[in-house]
Amino acid sequence: MHNLVREFTCIFRIQGSRSLFSARNRALGQKRPFYWKPELIVVPVSVSRHTFYGGRFFFFHNPFFCSFNCIKYLTSVAAKDTMPEKKPFQRLPKDVVPTNYDLRLKPNLKAFTFEGSEVISVKVKHATDSVTLNSAEIEVQNASYKSNGSGDPIQGQVTYNKEEETIKISFPSKLEVGEGTLHIEFTGELNDKMKGFYRSKYTGADGEERYCAVTQFEATDARRAFPCYDEPAVKATFDVTLVVPKNRVALSNMPVKSESTDETNENWKVVKYERSPIMSTYLLAFIVGEYDYVEARDEDGVLIRVYTPVGKKEQGRFALDVSVKTLPFYKNYFQIAYPLPKIDLIAIADFASGAMENWGLVTYRETALLVDPEISSAKGKQWVALVVGHELAHQWFGNLVTMEWWTHLWLNEGFASWIEYLCVDYCFPEYDIWTQFVNHSLGSAMELDALHNSHPIEVPVGHPSEIDEIFDAISYSKGAAVIGMLHNYIGDADFRKGMNQYLNKFKYCNAYTEDLWDALESASGKPVRAVMTTWTKQMGFPVIKVTESQENNKRVLNISQEKFCANGKIPEGDKSHWIVPISICTSQNPDQPDQTILLDSKSTTVTLNDVQPGDWVKLNYRSVGVYRVQYTSEMLQAFIPAVKDKSLPPRDRLGLLSDLFALTRAGLLSSVDVLKMAEAFVNEDNFTVWSDLALNLATIACMLQYTDSYEQYKVFGKALFGPIAAKVGWDAVEGEGHLTAMLRDLVLTRMGRYGDEATLAEARKRFQAHYDGTKTLPADLRSPVYGTVLSNGDEDTFNKMLKLYDDASMQEEKVRISRLLGAVKDENLIKRVLDFAMSDKVRSQDTVFVIAGVTGSVKGREMAWQFVKDQWKELYRRYETGFLLPRLIKSTTESFVTEEKAKEVESFFEGHPAPAAERTIQQSCENIRLNASWMAREAEAVCKFLKEKFSS
C-alpha cells in the first residue's frame, strides 16, 4: 500500500454502494434509503489524503468512507501499487429481491446427498429476463417463475458459473415489475468439508459409526445448501421443512410448527418450522441427527435447550446454566428482549470453528459446549462460558442488526469478543476475567498488529474469497480491544444508551460501522467517529513515549506518539496518527486514574499534582488502551518495588510486563534488562500475570533453543517459577478459587518442561496411578502431568497415552491428549505423532493442532514443516478455505530463526499458492526475520547473562 502524493484528475464509475449513498444522503440531510444509479463523474482528487489499494481508491475521511472504481486516469500517477491484485467481483443484481424462502430439504444420511425444493417469494423491482442467485455444488433440475396475479408459470433455463458460485435463470420473456415466486428443484451433496450442508461422523450409543447432517453457512456457504441470495444485506424470512427419518432429531432456527408422517415412507417424518424473523442467509441452520438435551427457561420464559451426544446430556448442564443467566443479562444491557421464543445450543462432532451464532440454533464444537465435572478443567469451563457468552451476544449484535457487507465483519466479531468478557464477569466475577482480557485479547491483537504485514480492522472486502483472511486476531481481538477502549472512554451508561439507539434503529436491517459510531456519539456527546476512525481505518497502533521531570511536588510528563512496529523500524514517510484516550495513575492512588486525556496531536505535556520524587507514574491505567508505553530507565526502576510488593494492581503489572517484552523484541530495550525485570515478579501470585510472563519467556526460549545456553535458560525458568509452584502445590485445598486451579496447571507445566526433577518424579507417580486406575487424576492436573511425562518420556509412555486417548469418551480429553503428544523428544515418536494427526483417529478440525503440538523443539519444528510440505496436497484439499489452513501455516513456520528459512517458506508457497493464507504466509516470514534479528542483536548478551548467573 502506498500513499500517493500528487494532485490529479480521474474519471470514476460510482458503484451502487449503499454505504456511499447513505452517507451522501445524511450529509445532504436526506432520509434513507436512497440509491443512485451507477454514473460517471469527474473529480479532482487530492490523493495524498487517500489510499490506493488494488485498483480502487478508498476515502477514509469524514463525513463518510467510500470507494470508487477508477475507470480512466486523466493525469499520470508516479506511484506503484504493491498490493496483490484483487479478484474482480460484483454483487448479485437487485432487479429481483427475495422476501421469503419456503424451503424443503430431504437429506440422505447413507448416500450423503440431499433433495431440495424452494419457493422464493420475490419482488421484481425492474423488468428483467433473468435472475441470478448464488449456488455452489448444487444441481438444479427445474426452475420457473410465477407472477402473483397471472396464470401459467414461466419455465427458466439454468446456466452455471462455478467460479463465481452463481446460477443464472434465463426466461423467454421479461418478468414484469411486481411480486411473484421462483420455484426451484435441486439436489446436492452432504459434503465432508465442514461447510454448507455437510455430514458429521460420530459414534452411536451402540458403538457403531454414524452420520448426522449439519450446517455451517458463514460466511458464504448457504449457497451449498440451496440457491439463494447469499449476501448479508439481502434479508428475508424463512419457512423451513425437513423430511427426515423418524428416529432422528431435526432442528432449525424456529420451533416446530407441525410434524407428520411422510406420505411416501412411513419411516420418515415431515417437520415444519415456524416462520423465522427477517434475517440473512448465513444465519439459517438445520440439523438432523441423534441427540439428548437438557432444558430450562430463563426469567423471561425463553426456552433454552442444550443438545448433546446421546447419553451425555448432563455435560450440557454448565452451558445451560450460563445461558439462563446470559440471555437476561443481554436483554437488560441492550434494553431489548431476545426476539425468538426459543434458543438451542448444540454440540457438533465435526465443526471447523469454535461456534456459530445461527439465530435460535447455535452450533458448537463439543469442546466449546460440553463440561464434565470429572474431566473438564477450570480452563475448559471458562472457555465454554466465554464462547456461550460470545454467541448469545450475536443474537442481538449480528443477527438482529447485521453488517451490510463483510467489510464490517469486525464489528460483529470484535463487539462479541469484547462483550463476552462483560457477560462472564457478570456470571463469574471470581474469574477476574478482565485481567485475562488484557492477556488474551489485547496482547494477541498487538502482537499481530505490530507486523508490517498486518491489516486495518476494517478491510474493504469484495470477492467472497477475501473474507477468510479477515477472520483473525485483528477482526476479533483488536476489534474487541478498541471497543473496550471506547467503552472506557465514553463510560458504561452512555455506551449502553448508544447501543440501545443503534439496535432499535437498525433492528431486522443492516448497518455500517459508522452507524454505530453515530449512535454512540449521539449518546455520549463525545467525538466517537473522529476517534474511532483512526483506530479502524488504519493499520497498527502507537507506542506512547513518556519522559518526566520533577517540579517541587508536581510531576511534568512529556508524552508523544509514533507508530509501533515489531522490528522497531517505522516505514519511511509513515504518517500514522491516532486519537488516543490516555489514562494516568500514580503510586499515591493506584486504584483510579489521576488524569485522563485525549491525545489528538503528536505530543503533549501533562502536569500531575501531589506526586513526590520516587513515586511511580503509569500510563494506560488498567491496560484498557490499545497502545504500548515506553518509559525512561528511571521511570521503570520506580516500578520494581511496586511489582515486588504487588501494590501495582495486576492489570497494570501485566500491561507493564507485556510492553517491556514487546519493546525488547523491537530492539528498543535490552533483553537482558527485561529478564532482570522479570525476576522482580518473584512474589507474583496472579494467574494472568504469570500466564503472560510464561508466554513471553517461551518466545525467547524458542530462540535460545538454537544456542548453547538453553540449559541455563531452563535453570532460570525453574528459579523463577519454583517458588510459586511450591506455593500452589500439587493438590487443591478446600475452598480454593478457579484461578488457583489455572495457576497450578500453568506453573507445574512450566516446571515440567524445564526438567525439574521433583516435578518429573511426582508427575510420573501420579500418571502411573491414573493409568492403572488406582487414583484418577483431577481434571486440572491432567495437562501438566501428561505434558511432563511425555516431554521426558519414552515409547512406553507414548503408547500408554495413546491407550488413554482411545479409551476417552469425552472430546475434551481426546483434544487434551492429542495436542500434548507432540511434547515427545524422540524423532521416531515425533514421526508417529505426525502420522497420527492424519489418521482416522483424529477429527479433521483437530489435525492442525496435533501437528502444531510437535513444534516446541528444534527437531519437531523441522519435522512438522517437512511433513506439511510432504502432505500439502491432502492438507490443502481439507482446509483450502477457512481459518485452519492459516493456523497450520503459522504454527509450523513462524518460529524459525534464519533468513534462509524465511526464503524457503516463501519459495514453497510461490510454487504452492494458498490464497486464503497469503497474508499469514507474509506474517510468518516477517516473524522469522524478527527472530533472526533478535538472534543477531540479543542472543550473545542473553547467553552471557544466563551462563554467568546459572552455570555451576
Side-chain angles (χ1 to χ4, degrees):
M1 184 182 296
H2 281 272
N3 285 334
L4 309 183
V5 295
R6 293 180 55 183
E7 290 278 344
F8 68 103
T9 299
C10 289
I11 293 180
F12 297 96
R13 180 178 300 279
I14 300 183
Q15 305 297 320
S17 163
R18 183 180 172 197
S19 59
L20 168 60
F21 303 141
S22 296
R24 177 263 185 192
N25 299 340
R26 289 197 293 273
L28 298 178
Q30 297 176 359
K31 294 182 178 180
R32 309 168 66 171
F34 178 88
Y35 295 88
W36 289 349
K37 294 181 180 179
E39 60 183 89
L40 296 180
I41 60 171
V42 179
V43 293
V45 182
S46 176
V47 289
S48 62
R49 292 176 297 159
H50 308 92
T51 300
F52 183 72
Y53 186 90
R56 294 167 68 86
F57 287 88
F58 296 97
F59 291 67
F60 292 155
H61 297 288
N62 291 338
F64 52 81
F65 165 61
C66 58
S67 64
F68 301 100
N69 276 343
C70 184
I71 305 299
K72 181 181 180 182
Y73 300 102
L74 299 186
T75 304
S76 62
V77 182
K80 179 182 178 184
D81 174 20
T82 60
M83 295 302 294
E85 190 69 25
K86 290 202 169 193
K87 192 173 181 180
F89 173 72
Q90 285 187 328
R91 295 208 215 174
L92 295 176
K94 300 302 185 292
D95 294 332
V96 180
V97 294
T99 58
N100 174 263
Y101 294 82
D102 191 344
L103 178 64
R104 181 184 176 101
L105 290 165
K106 183 179 182 179
N108 186 323
L109 294 172
K110 294 182 179 179
F112 305 137
T113 59
F114 60 88
E115 302 171 8
S117 63
E118 61 183 336
V119 179
I120 309 177
S121 299
V122 297
K123 290 182 178 179
V124 181
K125 304 180 93 174
H126 302 98
T128 180
D129 61 2
S130 67
V131 177
T132 302
L133 303 172
N134 291 117
S135 183
E137 300 173 1
I138 295 287
E139 293 294 327
V140 176
Q141 281 76 47
N142 186 58
S144 62
Y145 174 79
K146 188 176 186 303
S147 175
N148 294 358
S150 68
D152 298 332
I154 307 172
Q155 200 65 33
Q157 181 70 36
V158 178
T159 54
Y160 299 85
N161 187 329
K162 290 187 177 180
E163 183 178 356
E164 294 301 317
E165 298 184 341
T166 59
I167 58 170
K168 183 177 182 179
I169 307 173
S170 301
F171 298 97
S173 59
K174 283 195 172 183
L175 313 183
E176 297 300 329
V177 173
E179 297 183 354
T181 50
L182 282 170
H183 298 251
I184 305 175
E185 296 176 358
F186 55 91
T187 56
E189 177 192 7
L190 291 173
N191 67 69
D192 62 351
K193 300 175 183 178
M194 294 185 288
K195 61 183 180 180
F197 197 17
Y198 71 94
R199 64 184 185 264
S200 174
K201 183 168 66 175
Y202 65 99
T203 302
D206 56 5
E208 292 185 2
E209 186 178 278
R210 296 183 189 171
Y211 290 87
C212 56
V214 301
T215 57
Q216 171 56 36
F217 289 163
E218 190 180 27
T220 58
D221 289 312
R223 64 191 66 179
R224 298 180 190 278
F226 60 104
C228 58
Y229 294 79
D230 202 12
E231 297 180 357
V234 189
K235 290 189 170 187
T237 56
F238 293 84
D239 295 299
V240 174
T241 300
L242 298 178
V243 184
V244 302
K246 281 187 173 179
N247 61 352
R248 294 294 188 267
V249 172
L251 301 172
S252 189
N253 305 74
M254 298 299 290
V256 173
K257 181 179 181 179
S258 68
E259 184 176 313
S260 59
T261 299
D262 183 11
E263 294 179 355
T264 63
N265 188 333
E266 64 179 10
N267 294 319
W268 287 60
K269 60 185 177 183
V270 179
V271 186
K272 295 185 177 183
Y273 301 88
E274 299 284 354
R275 176 167 292 186
S276 77
I278 185 171
M279 66 183 193
S280 305
T281 50
Y282 81 91
L283 296 171
L284 187 66
F286 21 89
I287 295 170
V288 180
E290 295 178 292
Y291 299 96
D292 283 342
Y293 66 84
V294 288
E295 70 174 21
R297 291 187 182 272
D298 73 1
E299 63 184 39
D300 300 303
V302 177
L303 178 64
I304 305 170
R305 286 179 175 174
V306 176
Y307 283 84
T308 74
V310 173
K312 297 182 179 181
K313 67 180 183 180
E314 288 306 311
Q315 293 178 10
R317 187 71 62 184
F318 178 78
L320 180 66
D321 293 342
V322 173
S323 302
V324 167
K325 296 177 183 177
T326 295
L327 278 185
F329 171 78
Y330 286 141
K331 181 205 72 171
N332 293 328
Y333 196 85
F334 298 130
Q335 287 296 293
I336 297 174
Y338 173 68
L340 274 63
K342 66 94 174 176
I343 188 164
D344 299 325
L345 295 74
I346 185 167
I348 304 298
D350 297 300
F351 199 72
S353 56
M356 175 60 207
E357 67 267 21
N358 316 298
W359 215 352
L361 178 55
V362 187
T363 45
Y364 295 79
R365 278 195 185 200
E366 290 185 10
T367 52
L369 188 68
L370 305 183
V371 169
D372 185 315
E374 299 300 318
I375 298 174
S376 298
S377 64
K379 183 164 55 178
K381 288 197 294 185
Q382 180 177 288
W383 170 241
V384 169
L386 284 168
V387 178
V388 169
H390 181 104
E391 304 307 329
L392 295 189
H394 275 313
Q395 306 303 301
W396 285 263
F397 207 95
N399 299 7
L400 182 64
V401 177
T402 311
M403 68 213 159
E404 196 277 339
W405 186 246
W406 300 105
T407 294
H408 308 277
L409 168 74
W410 86 270
L411 194 58
N412 271 17
E413 299 303 344
F415 182 85
S417 297
W418 172 76
I419 204 169
E420 70 185 55
Y421 283 83
L422 192 71
C423 170
V424 169
D425 187 53
Y426 166 79
C427 294
F428 304 100
E430 69 274 17
Y431 285 8
D432 187 26
I433 202 69
W434 284 117
T435 303
Q436 297 186 57
F437 178 87
V438 176
N439 185 8
H440 297 158
S441 290
L442 181 61
S444 62
M446 290 201 289
E447 180 182 358
L448 179 57
D449 204 32
L451 299 178
H452 294 298
N453 287 295
S454 183
H455 63 82
I457 287 178
E458 189 167 286
V459 179
V461 172
H463 196 278
S465 63
E466 301 165 15
I467 299 169
D468 287 335
E469 277 204 302
I470 60 173
F471 279 88
D472 64 3
I474 301 300
S475 295
Y476 283 73
S477 298
K478 187 182 178 186
V482 298
I483 290 288
M485 182 172 63
L486 174 62
H487 173 267
N488 185 73
Y489 168 57
I490 68 175
D492 186 66
D494 286 340
F495 189 87
R496 294 172 70 159
K497 181 180 175 183
M499 288 303 310
N500 176 262
Q501 291 177 9
Y502 169 80
L503 291 171
N504 272 310
K505 183 175 182 179
F506 297 104
K507 60 185 177 183
Y508 303 109
C509 297
N510 298 81
Y512 304 82
T513 299
E514 291 77 14
D515 293 320
L516 178 59
W517 299 160
D518 290 345
L520 293 171
E521 188 164 306
S522 172
S524 66
K526 293 184 177 180
V528 172
R529 181 190 280 243
V531 171
M532 295 308 292
T533 297
T534 69
W535 293 96
T536 62
K537 304 296 190 191
Q538 63 182 337
M539 186 177 80
F541 58 90
V543 54
I544 304 299
K545 296 186 174 183
V546 56
T547 62
E548 64 177 4
S549 60
Q550 189 77 27
E551 297 180 1
N552 298 319
N553 66 338
K554 295 181 179 181
R555 189 75 56 88
V556 180
L557 306 179
N558 293 305
I559 297 171
S560 63
Q561 64 162 301
E562 65 182 35
K563 181 178 173 65
F564 180 79
C565 298
N567 66 351
K569 298 176 182 178
I570 302 173
E572 185 177 351
D574 181 81
K575 302 294 185 183
S576 300
H577 172 78
W578 291 265
I579 301 178
V580 192
I582 296 178
S583 52
I584 306 167
C585 62
T586 72
S587 54
Q588 295 294 324
N589 189 357
D591 294 321
Q592 67 180 39
D594 183 278
Q595 281 196 41
T596 298
I597 66 168
L598 194 62
L599 179 63
D600 58 0
S601 58
K602 180 70 175 177
S603 62
T604 192
T605 299
V606 176
T607 299
L608 305 177
N609 296 318
D610 300 321
V611 179
Q612 303 303 315
D615 287 353
W616 56 258
V617 172
K618 183 180 181 297
L619 276 63
N620 203 3
Y621 168 78
R622 294 295 188 267
S623 300
V624 296
V626 186
Y627 53 87
R628 299 290 185 191
V629 182
Q630 183 173 356
Y631 300 95
T632 64
S633 297
E634 293 77 12
M635 295 181 77
L636 284 175
Q637 286 299 313
F639 286 119
I640 291 178
V643 168
K644 286 184 176 180
D645 66 15
K646 296 177 290 184
S647 58
L648 185 68
R651 284 164 66 181
D652 290 307
R653 299 199 299 272
L654 174 57
L656 177 66
L657 187 67
S658 180
D659 287 347
L660 288 174
F661 275 99
L663 291 165
T664 296
R665 185 161 173 77
L668 302 175
L669 286 177
S670 158
S671 292
V672 171
D673 287 345
V674 174
L675 289 176
K676 291 177 180 177
M677 182 71 175
E679 293 179 308
F681 287 80
V682 64
N683 298 319
E684 185 59 60
D685 58 4
N686 182 278
F687 158 73
T688 311
V689 178
W690 275 115
S691 180
D692 189 74
L693 180 57
L695 186 65
N696 282 299
L697 287 173
T699 301
I700 293 178
C702 181
M703 293 181 284
L704 289 174
Q705 289 175 341
Y706 294 89
T707 72
D708 63 356
S709 298
Y710 184 57
E711 290 304 314
Q712 284 82 19
Y713 167 78
K714 291 196 287 186
V715 177
F716 169 82
K718 286 185 285 187
L720 186 61
F721 283 83
I724 187 63
K727 182 177 180 179
V728 297
W730 280 86
D731 297 306
V733 299
E734 187 176 353
E736 77 173 20
H738 166 88
L739 291 171
T740 303
M742 293 175 68
L743 179 59
R744 178 178 295 111
D745 179 339
L746 172 70
V747 298
L748 291 178
T749 295
R750 290 293 96 203
M751 293 295 285
R753 291 298 177 96
Y754 295 144
D756 179 66
E757 290 296 334
T759 303
L760 176 58
E762 186 67 19
R764 282 173 169 163
K765 182 181 73 173
R766 290 177 182 247
F767 174 74
Q768 191 60 45
H770 177 73
Y771 182 79
D772 293 341
T774 55
K775 188 173 183 180
T776 301
L777 275 170
D780 291 306
L781 283 182
R782 294 191 185 192
S783 284
V785 167
Y786 292 169
T788 298
V789 298
L790 280 165
S791 62
N792 297 275
D794 54 14
E795 186 172 9
D796 179 62
T797 302
F798 185 80
N799 290 334
K800 287 178 178 177
M801 201 66 74
L802 287 180
K803 177 68 164 52
L804 290 177
Y805 179 91
D806 290 338
D807 291 345
S809 61
M810 190 174 182
Q811 191 64 16
E812 180 180 338
E813 177 75 345
K814 286 184 178 291
V815 167
R816 179 161 42 217
I817 293 171
S818 65
R819 293 189 183 189
L820 288 168
L821 285 174
V824 293
K825 298 292 194 301
D826 181 80
E827 187 171 332
N828 291 326
L829 294 181
I830 293 173
K831 184 178 184 305
R832 285 183 63 184
V833 175
L834 293 170
D835 292 339
F836 170 78
M838 299 292 287
S839 71
D840 290 340
K841 287 189 174 184
V842 177
R843 291 179 179 171
S844 183
Q845 74 258 25
D846 297 317
T847 294
V848 168
F849 302 97
V850 179
I851 294 172
V854 310
T855 62
S857 65
V858 172
K859 174 58 67 176
R861 212 167 291 137
E862 292 285 351
M863 292 179 68
W865 171 229
Q866 188 61 50
F867 185 79
V868 166
K869 292 188 289 185
D870 293 343
Q871 298 290 327
W872 180 252
K873 185 176 181 180
E874 171 58 19
L875 290 166
Y876 189 73
R877 185 197 70 81
R878 286 193 190 187
Y879 310 121
E880 180 178 355
T881 60
F883 77 96
L884 288 172
L885 187 69
R887 185 71 60 88
L888 174 69
I889 293 170
K890 173 182 169 69
S891 63
T892 56
T893 60
E894 70 173 359
S895 295
F896 293 123
V897 299
T898 65
E899 174 65 23
E900 290 72 23
K901 274 296 181 184
K903 290 179 177 177
E904 179 185 322
V905 172
E906 288 171 337
S907 177
F908 177 80
F909 288 110
E910 285 173 5
H912 302 82
E918 185 174 337
R919 184 178 281 115
T920 298
I921 296 164
Q922 295 167 347
Q923 291 166 347
S924 285
C925 291
E926 185 175 347
N927 270 314
I928 295 171
R929 292 184 169 104
L930 286 170
N931 293 340
S933 295
W934 187 93
M935 294 289 289
R937 186 183 66 247
E938 302 282 350
E940 183 178 351
V942 170
C943 290
K944 181 181 178 182
F945 164 73
L946 292 171
K947 287 176 180 177
E948 290 177 351
K949 189 173 182 68
F950 296 106
S951 291
S952 55

